[in-house]
Amino acid sequence: LILLDSLLQESQRYLTFMMVSQELLLMFSILVTSLMLFLTVYFMITLSDLESDFINSLDCSARLNRWTIPRLVFMVMHSLLLVAQYSWVMLLVSLPFTIWLVYSRLKVKQGDSGLYDPTEIHIRENLRGAIKESLGFMGYHMASFFIYMWLLVSLMSMNTDTPGVSGEVPW
């Protein structure tokens, strides 16, 4: 009986550790997703400045190519966080975006200035394609941000270790 009690206490400590671990992973996912959302908004602003002729294609390409590798690193890190959380559905949703960025980066020819080439970005079809791609990433990052917030709130509301104050206002 004492052995069973000690095993039960050990499993409760393990579950508590996993709960804290899950909360921290969700918080870190929210942080990474918000950074990627801000980066995507920066991409959209820069591309719309190019479309409105506020900046030239050389400056636009230099600004966007500077953040292409960090964007790729954040996306891979985001996918690894999803693996660590055992969030397979969100990983399946995230993988096409991550694979697309890796594929786009690997498609860049040796000697080119980067993913955004100043000689080709000002072509209307390429510019529209880059804007549509940024809009798709922005929608994905916004949706995943709010899903992670919802998951974190629901996970923390399940934690009933500390009872609420009696007479507490429910809203």
Side-chain angles (χ1 to χ4, degrees):
L1 194 60
I2 294 173
L3 180 63
L4 184 60
D5 186 47
S6 66
L7 284 174
L8 187 61
Q9 287 176 355
E10 185 65 31
S11 68
Q12 186 178 11
R13 272 192 234 124
Y14 177 73
L15 287 175
T16 304
F17 172 73
M18 289 303 293
M19 180 111 124
V20 170
S21 168
Q22 188 76 2
E23 290 168 351
L24 288 176
L25 286 173
L26 277 171
M27 286 180 198
F28 196 64
S29 293
I30 290 171
L31 177 71
V32 169
T33 304
S34 63
L35 288 174
M36 288 189 301
L37 182 61
F38 287 127
L39 193 57
T40 304
V41 168
Y42 175 75
F43 272 50
M44 275 301 301
I45 291 171
T46 305
L47 288 169
S48 64
D49 284 350
L50 177 65
E51 187 179 33
S52 302
D53 286 334
F54 290 131
I55 59 174
N56 61 24
S57 62
L58 189 62
D59 289 339
C60 177
S61 296
R63 290 178 187 180
L64 295 179
N65 286 331
R66 182 179 322 131
W67 290 103
T68 301
I69 297 296
R71 182 182 185 192
L72 181 63
V73 169
F74 280 138
M75 281 299 290
V76 170
M77 189 169 53
H78 179 251
S79 295
L80 292 176
L81 278 171
L82 291 173
V83 169
Q85 294 175 22
Y86 302 112
S87 181
W88 305 117
V89 174
M90 287 298 292
L91 180 66
L92 286 175
V93 172
S94 172
L95 275 180
F97 292 97
T98 306
I99 290 171
W100 176 255
L101 277 181
V102 170
Y103 171 74
S104 298
R105 181 62 186 148
L106 291 177
K107 195 172 65 170
V108 174
K109 297 176 187 142
Q110 190 73 13
D112 280 354
S113 61
L115 189 60
Y116 298 95
D117 190 14
T119 59
E120 294 181 9
I121 191 71
H122 63 81
I123 298 172
R124 187 161 183 83
E125 292 82 28
N126 294 346
L127 182 60
R128 286 290 175 186
I131 289 173
K132 287 178 185 177
E133 180 182 319
S134 289
L135 280 173
F137 275 102
M138 188 182 304
Y140 165 70
H141 294 314
M142 285 179 65
S144 61
F145 177 80
F146 287 113
I147 288 171
Y148 293 143
M149 287 295 268
W150 175 71
L151 287 172
L152 183 64
V153 167
S154 66
L155 184 68
M156 293 184 80
S157 67
M158 287 184 344
N159 187 3
T160 57
D161 290 344
T162 57
V165 178
S166 62
E168 182 177 343
V169 178
W171 61 87

